[in-house]
Amino acid sequence: MLNKSKEKSRRTLAHLSIFGTTQIHLRNPYIIAMWSVAFPGYGHLLLSKYIRGFALVGWELFINQSTQLNLAMVYSFMGDIDAAKEVLNVRYMLMYIPVYLFAIWDSYRTTVDMNKIYLINEKEQPSVSALTVKPFEINYLDKRSPLIATLWSMTIPSVGQLYIHRVFGAIFTLVTAVVFIHYSHFLEGLHYLVLGDIERSTEVLDKQWLMYLPSFYFFTIYDSYMNTVENNKLYVSEQKNYLKSKYQPSTFEFKKGIKVN
């Protein structure tokens, strides 16, 4: 019994809990690495490696704020190199670079390894629970629209993740969105921009915090879309395996390439 339990656990490719659906599936290592380039930790969050992802995101926020790197980048884009040098705190720059490169390398390496695990075990079609019922929450497999998940994520980060029941992702994106929007004064700047007061809009914005928003916003959209697609694939696979085990005769043989009359 112990050996069977270990064997079953080793081949598990998906897990359903009240906090979300976690699964191993094929991913493009270059795409995951590019998200780590955009913001360290995002690549790991896409892999559902939450502890490592949250740690890297927290480190990026701390070190970026300490070095004022985003603000220096803004001045560099504007061609004001002297202002960029003035605001940049070089004391922490050497601490920033190794962790940044590690996040890119580790997300790429982990994706390659997880792809190998998936390819080794996919033919064995490991089972997954289709329904989890707990006192405070219910989670279940079903098909949902990637378009709807994308549209909800475009309104405000976190609701797209809630739509597909990724609770950890939703909490992270909601808290992060509130912090970024509050300290960047984004909504205040948008208000003045709509009124046509561009000078006032530019003045109230905090450029250091504002630079976090583009990568964060598009990350939440991509995360919602990608996981909706993969959850749908998992739902179809679970249904197929259930029907085969319950209703397909053991003597059934699928003859590929042979015409059946």
Side-chain angles (χ1 to χ4, degrees), residues 1-197:
M1 290 296 293
L2 181 61
N3 291 334
K4 288 183 179 180
S5 177
K6 290 183 177 179
E7 188 77 356
K8 182 179 179 181
S9 176
R10 184 178 70 85
R11 295 173 178 171
T12 298
L13 295 180
H15 177 70
L16 205 72
S17 73
I18 61 173
F19 299 108
T21 303
T22 304
Q23 60 174 309
I24 298 176
H25 57 81
L26 290 178
R27 297 175 173 91
N28 188 323
Y30 294 105
I31 293 178
I32 300 298
M34 287 307 298
W35 277 114
S36 292
V37 171
F39 202 107
Y42 285 178
H44 291 85
L45 292 178
L46 289 171
L47 296 173
S48 296
K49 296 181 72 67
Y50 295 110
I51 296 177
R52 193 175 305 185
F54 293 152
L56 288 169
V57 168
W59 171 258
E60 167 67 16
L61 289 174
F62 166 76
I63 202 70
N64 200 312
Q65 290 299 117
S66 299
T67 60
Q68 294 289 289
L69 180 61
N70 282 348
L71 188 57
M73 289 172 60
V74 171
Y75 286 126
S76 298
F77 296 154
M78 296 169 61
D80 193 345
I81 306 301
D82 291 334
K85 292 180 180 179
E86 184 178 346
V87 300
L88 188 64
N89 187 345
V90 296
R91 287 191 304 168
Y92 295 96
M93 282 304 298
L94 291 180
M95 296 176 63
Y96 180 91
I97 297 173
V99 179
Y100 181 77
L101 295 178
F102 169 80
I104 300 170
W105 171 80
D106 189 63
S107 62
Y108 178 90
R109 175 198 63 82
T110 304
T111 307
V112 172
D113 289 345
M114 292 176 69
N115 285 348
K116 292 178 181 178
I117 294 173
Y118 176 82
L119 291 173
I120 290 173
N121 296 313
E122 66 166 336
K123 293 183 180 180
E124 299 179 12
Q125 299 177 341
S127 61
V128 57
S129 174
L131 174 66
T132 298
V133 180
K134 298 294 182 180
F136 295 103
E137 190 57 88
I138 299 173
N139 188 18
Y140 53 90
L141 289 178
D142 68 337
K143 297 192 76 172
R144 304 185 186 186
S145 171
L147 178 61
I148 292 178
T150 300
L151 292 175
W152 276 119
S153 293
M154 292 173 66
T155 59
I156 184 170
S158 77
V159 289
Q161 279 84 359
L162 284 177
Y163 170 67
I164 57 174
H165 201 92
R166 286 178 65 84
V167 177
F168 278 141
I171 294 173
F172 163 76
T173 52
L174 180 59
V175 172
T176 307
V178 172
V179 171
F180 286 171
I181 291 174
H182 173 76
Y183 286 105
S184 67
H185 300 275
F186 173 73
L187 293 181
E188 187 179 354
L190 181 62
H191 171 76
Y192 289 118
L193 181 63
V194 172
L195 294 177
D197 192 346

Side-chain angles (χ1 to χ4, degrees), residues 244 248-260:
K244 285 175 64 177
Q248 182 172 290
S250 58
T251 57
F252 177 82
E253 182 180 357
F254 184 75
K255 299 180 178 180
K256 185 177 181 181
I258 301 177
K259 183 178 180 181
V260 179

